[in-house]
Amino acid sequence: MADCIFCKIVKGEIPSTSVYRDEHAYAFRDIQPAAPTHILIVPQRHIDSVNALSAEDEGTIGHLFMVAKQIAAQEGLSERGYRLVINTNAEAGQTVFHIHLHLLGGRQLTKMG
Ligand code: 5GP
Ligand code: ZN
């Protein structure tokens, strides 16, 4: 997607603070962190949102969670705890339409809603 900021971040056309990269995923620090650790984990291939997922994306999405688990361990959060969030569309506050998993931790997180 030519005008997608996360596609540009994946390609290095927009700078980001890299946390992890492999063939399918990229993880980088959120520019406006909502917690001491706030990392975004994205597939390198553009997918708009959870609503746009098809059966062939199942492996990709599962992989994002495996990456999240690994990063949580690297950040020292496995035992303390952390939260994984995917916002979808307006009422959830999705602002970037390239699917991404938020990894939040490093402080006591409040209940959602
Ligand atoms: P959403 O609201 O769509 O669930 O999450 C989008 C996230 O992307 C927000 O937390 C926002 O701070 C982050 N973000 C938006 N633009 C950029 C950027 O250019 N660089 C980085 N690192 N994060 C960004
Ligand atoms: Zn994209």
Side-chain angles (χ1 to χ4, degrees):
M1 286 274 284
D3 59 353
C4 168
I5 59 168
F6 285 1
C7 281
K8 288 181 179 165
I9 284 175
V10 165
K11 287 188 244 164
E13 294 170 7
I14 293 174
S16 63
T17 304
S18 174
V19 174
Y20 174 93
R21 182 187 285 277
D22 65 25
E23 195 187 339
H24 299 294
Y26 181 55
F28 54 100
R29 297 201 185 268
D30 197 291
I31 204 165
Q32 272 194 299
T37 295
H38 188 172
I39 291 164
L40 303 173
I41 304 154
V42 306
Q44 296 202 18
R45 185 166 55 81
H46 181 94
I47 302 169
D48 279 348
S49 74
V50 170
N51 285 336
L53 289 175
S54 61
E56 69 190 23
D57 299 320
E58 229 177 297
T60 303
I61 297 306
H63 183 63
L64 298 186
F65 280 83
M66 295 306 290
V67 170
K69 171 188 158 178
Q70 188 179 318
I71 293 172
Q74 280 169 22
E75 297 282 316
L77 296 174
S78 302
E79 298 304 321
R80 291 178 66 182
Y82 56 95
R83 184 171 292 164
L84 300 175
V85 175
I86 300 180
N87 295 319
T88 304
N89 275 353
E91 290 194 355
Q94 185 177 6
T95 57
V96 178
F97 285 80
H98 179 130
I99 199 167
H100 50 280
L101 188 57
H102 293 258
L103 190 164
L104 294 152
R107 66 169 168 82
Q108 182 62 54
L109 298 167
T110 54
K111 292 289 179 192
M112 292 182 288

